[in-house]
C-alpha cells in the first residue's frame, strides 16, 4: 500500500430510515426503471429505533467497487445496485462538467467501497430494502458531491426506498412519463406535524417471507384484475383522502383508510394466481383485536397495516399507547424469561379494566408476538459527523466483521 493511501481516502457515513406505507405500492408498469402502477404514501419512522447506517469511501488505490452488508461481503454486480452507482456517478460527472466548484474533482472516476448495516434484524421482515437503498443513494451522493432530486435514483434501487429519502409523511407520485423523471417522492408534512402519532411494530415472526415483494407484485400485475381496479379506480381517491386526513390530523379518517388499504392490498395478493399469503393466524388475530378494541370505544383509536409479511404495524395516538400495549400483552402473553418484550420509546404500564378484556373476549395466544418496537415519525437521511462511527477503517475495509 502506498504511503499516502490514508490521505487519499474520502469517507462519508450516513443513516436512513424505514418507512411504513398507509397507501400501499404493489405493482410496476416498468420493471427496469421501477415505475409503479399507483401512487403510494408512507410514514417515515424514527431512526432512534430503526435505521440503516452506510459508509462509502473512494480512493484512487481501490481496484474495484466492493460492498459489505451486515458484516459480510456481497455481490456488487446486482443490477439494482449497479443502477444506483451508475446514476450517482453520472450526476457527479454532469455537475463537474457543468463547472460546479463543489462537485468532487475526481471521485466519480474512483472505485468505491461500501459498508452497510441495520440496527434491526433483516429477517424480521421490516422494510430493510427501503432504508438500505435510501441510505446507499444518500451516502453516495454526499461522497461525490451530488444533490438535487435523489428519490428518483433511490427508486431504481427499490421502489419503496424513494419514500425513505424524506422524513415525516411522504407520497410517491407514480408519474406519467416513460423515463420516470416524474416518478418521485415528495414530503406531504414534516415529522413535527403530528407529534401525538405513534407507531408500534408487533413482530410476529422472524421467519423470512415466503414470496419476495418484487416477484410477488409481478405475478399480481400479470394475474389480478382486482389489482388493476385498485390502481385505476381506488388509489387515486384514497391518496387525496389520506393527504387531507394527515393535514387535518384526523386520526379516525387516517386509521380507517390505513386499515382498508392494507386489507385491499392483501385482497389483491389473494386474487393473485397462484395466491400469495402474507398474513398468518397471528396477523388475523391482531386484526380482530384492533376492531374489537375500537368497537368497544365506538371510535377508531388504533389502526393496523401489514406489508409483505405477517408483522403488524399499529398506528395510534400517544394517549392510547399504554393501554393498547397492555391489551396486546394480555391477549398475546409474552415469554416471561425471554428478551425484553417492549423495545424503543418507553411506555409506562397501566392496568386493564375487566370490562375491556371481556368486551374483546378473545382466547389469549401465548408467545404469538415475540416483541414490540415502540416508535414514532422521524426525519429523513442524515450525515453522521463523528468519524469514529465510520464502518470502514483507514484501509478502506470494514472495521469489524460479523
Ligand atoms: C409498500 N411494499 O408500499 C409496499 C406494501 C410491500 C407491501 O414497497 O421491487 O421492496 O424493490 O420495488 O419496494 C415492497 O416493495 O419492491 C413494498 P421493489 P419493494 O411499502
Amino acid at each position: 500500500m502506498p504511503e499516502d493511501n490514508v490521505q487519499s481516502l474520502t469517507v462519508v457515513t450516513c443513516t436512513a430510515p424505514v418507512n411504513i406505507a398507509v397507501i400501499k405500492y404493489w405493482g410496476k408498469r416498468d420493471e427496469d426503471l421501477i415505475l409503479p402502477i399507483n401512487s403510494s404514501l408512507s410514514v417515515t419512522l424514527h431512526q432512534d429505533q430503526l435505521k440503516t447506517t452506510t459508509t462509502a469511501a473512494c480512493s484512487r488505490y481501490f481496484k474495484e467497487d466492493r460492498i459489505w452488508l451486515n458484516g459480510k461481503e456481497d455481490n456488487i454486480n446486482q443490477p439494482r445496485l449497479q443502477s444506483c452507482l451508475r446514476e450517482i456517478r453520472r450526476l457527479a460527472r454532469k455537475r463537474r462538467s457543468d463547472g460546479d466548484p463543489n462537485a468532487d474533482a475526481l471521485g466519480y472516476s474512483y472505485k468505491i467501497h461500501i459498508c452497510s448495516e441495520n440496527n434491526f434484524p433483516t429477517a424480521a421482515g421490516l422494510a430493510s430494502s427501503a432504508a438500505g437503498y435510501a441510505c446507499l443513494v444518500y451516502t453516495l451522493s454526499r461522497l461525490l458531491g451530488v444533490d438535487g432530486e435523489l428519490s428518483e435514483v433511490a427508486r431504481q434501487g427499490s421502489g419503496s426506498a424513494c419514500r425513505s429519502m424524506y422524513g415525516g409523511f411522504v407520497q410517491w407520485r407514480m408519474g406519467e412519463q416513460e423515463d420516470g423523471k416524474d416518478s418521485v417522492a415528495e414530503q406531504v408534512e414534516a415529522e413535527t406535524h403530528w407529534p401525538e402519532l405513534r407507531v408500534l411494530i408487533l413482530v410476529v415472526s422472524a421467519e423470512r417471507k415466503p414470496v419476495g415483494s418484487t416477484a410477488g407484485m409481478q405475478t399480481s400485475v400479470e394475474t389480478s384484475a382486482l389489482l388493476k381496479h385498485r390502481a385505476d379506480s381506488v388509489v387515486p381517491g384514497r391518496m387525496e383522502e389520506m393527504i387531507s386526513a394527515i393535514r387535518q390530523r384526523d386520526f379516525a379518517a387516517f386509521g380507517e383508510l390505513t386499515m382498508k388499504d392494507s386489507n385491499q392490498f392483501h385482497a389483491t395478493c389473494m386474487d393473485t394466481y397462484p395466491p400469495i399469503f402474507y398474513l398468518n393466524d397471528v396477523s388475523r388475530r391482531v386484526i380482530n383485536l384492533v376492531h374489537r378494541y375500537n368497537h368497544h370505544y365506538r371510535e377508531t383509536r388504533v389502526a393496523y397495516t401489514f406489508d409483505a409479511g405477517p408483522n403488524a404495524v399499529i398506528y395510534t395516538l400517544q394517549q392510547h399507547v399504554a393501554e393498547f400495549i397492555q391489551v396486546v400483552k394480555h391477549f398475546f402473553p409474552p415469554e416471561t424469561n425471554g428478551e425484553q418484550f417492549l423495545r424503543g420509546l418507553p411506555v409506562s404500564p397501566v392496568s386493564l379494566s375487566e370490562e375491556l378484556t371481556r368486551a374483546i373476549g378473545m382466547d389469549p395466544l401465548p408467545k404469538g408476538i415475540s416483541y414490540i418496537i415502540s416508535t414514532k415519525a422521524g426525519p429523513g437521511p442524515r450525515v453522521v459527523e463523528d468519524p469514529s462511527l465510520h464502518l470502514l477503517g483507514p484501509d478502506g475495509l470494514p472495521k469489524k466483521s460479523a
Side-chain angles (χ1 to χ4, degrees):
M1 281 276 190
E3 275 283 297
D4 68 340
N5 172 282
V6 172
Q7 286 82 353
S8 70
L9 193 74
T10 311
V11 193
V12 176
T13 299
C14 299
T15 64
V18 165
N19 72 75
I20 300 292
V22 290
I23 301 292
K24 304 293 188 189
Y25 148 54
W26 197 251
K28 299 180 187 70
R29 62 181 202 271
D30 185 313
E31 295 279 336
D32 296 326
L33 287 173
I34 310 196
L35 301 178
I37 58 167
N38 61 261
S39 297
S40 56
L41 198 152
S42 57
V43 178
T44 295
L45 304 190
H46 206 288
Q47 295 178 50
D48 282 355
Q49 281 73 47
L50 301 162
K51 68 174 177 223
T52 296
T53 303
T54 300
T55 297
C58 62
S59 162
R60 63 193 170 102
Y61 296 110
F62 289 167
K63 301 235 163 16
E64 54 187 353
D65 292 331
R66 292 176 76 180
I67 187 165
W68 291 263
L69 298 181
N70 295 309
K72 274 175 63 185
E73 182 150 22
D74 205 350
N75 177 14
I76 192 84
N77 292 315
Q78 301 165 61
R80 289 166 168 213
L81 209 51
Q82 289 295 320
S83 300
C84 293
L85 271 164
R86 188 178 56 240
E87 276 304 292
I88 295 286
R89 281 181 168 133
R90 188 181 62 78
L91 292 170
R93 207 161 38 236
K94 181 170 181 296
R95 234 186 125 169
R96 180 78 183 145
S97 64
D98 289 349
D100 189 318
N102 292 323
D104 190 277
L106 283 166
Y108 60 81
S109 63
Y110 292 163
K111 298 297 181 194
I112 296 176
H113 285 188
I114 299 157
C115 187
S116 188
E117 61 185 38
N118 298 328
N119 70 345
F120 54 93
T122 307
L126 300 166
S128 60
S129 72
Y133 275 105
C135 205
L136 173 78
V137 167
Y138 193 78
T139 310
L140 291 175
S141 76
R142 292 298 91 121
L143 182 73
L144 300 185
V146 173
D147 37 41
E149 181 45 59
L150 296 168
S151 76
E152 201 206 323
V153 185
R155 190 201 71 224
Q156 296 178 54
S158 183
S160 52
C162 73
R163 299 186 312 236
S164 275
M165 296 301 280
Y166 296 96
F169 302 81
V170 184
Q171 65 167 321
W172 172 14
R173 291 182 186 274
M174 63 178 287
E176 289 172 358
Q177 287 169 220
E178 267 182 33
D179 63 5
K181 292 268 179 266
D182 59 350
S183 188
V184 294
E186 185 181 286
Q187 188 177 65
V188 172
E189 291 288 349
E191 60 276 15
T192 48
H193 168 72
W194 198 351
E196 302 81 19
L197 190 72
R198 284 298 140 102
V199 183
L200 301 172
I201 301 164
L202 276 42
V203 179
V204 164
S205 124
E207 285 170 38
R208 285 203 152 264
K209 55 192 173 197
V211 180
S213 300
T214 307
M217 66 175 81
Q218 196 169 1
T219 315
S220 296
V221 169
E222 286 161 10
T223 62
S224 171
L226 178 58
L227 182 65
K228 186 172 163 35
H229 168 70
R230 163 179 167 73
D232 294 346
S233 308
V234 181
V235 172
R238 278 194 182 162
M239 286 294 291
E240 301 281 315
E241 287 176 59
M242 185 57 92
I243 289 170
S244 132
I246 290 166
R247 294 232 157 100
Q248 294 168 38
R249 300 184 201 90
D250 177 347
F251 187 81
F254 171 85
E256 211 171 290
L257 269 171
T258 297
M259 292 188 277
K260 286 181 173 170
D261 203 70
S262 171
N263 294 342
Q264 189 176 70
F265 154 52
H266 291 280
T268 69
C269 291
M270 181 78 181
D271 189 49
T272 298
Y273 194 82
I276 304 166
F277 305 101
Y278 289 123
L279 306 179
N280 66 13
D281 270 354
V282 179
S283 321
R284 284 184 287 271
R285 276 168 181 261
V286 172
I287 292 176
N288 271 325
L289 179 69
V290 166
H291 285 293
R292 288 176 185 211
Y293 182 83
N294 288 337
H295 184 258
H296 175 70
Y297 287 110
R298 301 286 189 273
E299 184 182 53
T300 302
R301 292 191 174 185
V302 293
Y304 53 78
T305 185
F306 297 84
D307 288 328
N311 294 335
V313 177
I314 301 290
Y315 285 102
T316 187
L317 296 175
Q318 191 166 10
Q319 67 258 39
H320 307 310
V321 166
E323 186 183 71
F324 189 73
I325 286 178
Q326 215 56 45
V327 167
V328 171
K329 275 190 180 161
H330 181 94
F331 290 100
F332 299 96
E335 217 160 350
T336 39
N337 299 327
E339 288 188 71
Q340 208 183 350
F341 186 64
L342 182 66
R343 307 175 190 187
L345 292 176
V347 178
S348 348
V350 292
S351 55
L352 293 182
S353 73
E354 222 192 286
E355 193 199 345
L356 175 61
T357 51
R358 207 171 339 106
I360 293 173
M362 292 167 53
D363 291 333
L365 180 72
K367 297 178 219 163
I369 289 169
S370 32
Y371 58 94
I372 299 179
I373 303 169
S374 156
T375 185
K376 58 182 182 179
R382 288 278 186 272
V383 174
V384 176
E385 304 290 352
D386 180 354
S388 74
L389 298 175
H390 290 323
L391 303 178
L392 293 168
D395 56 356
L397 296 172
K399 279 183 182 168
K400 52 172 192 236
S401 59

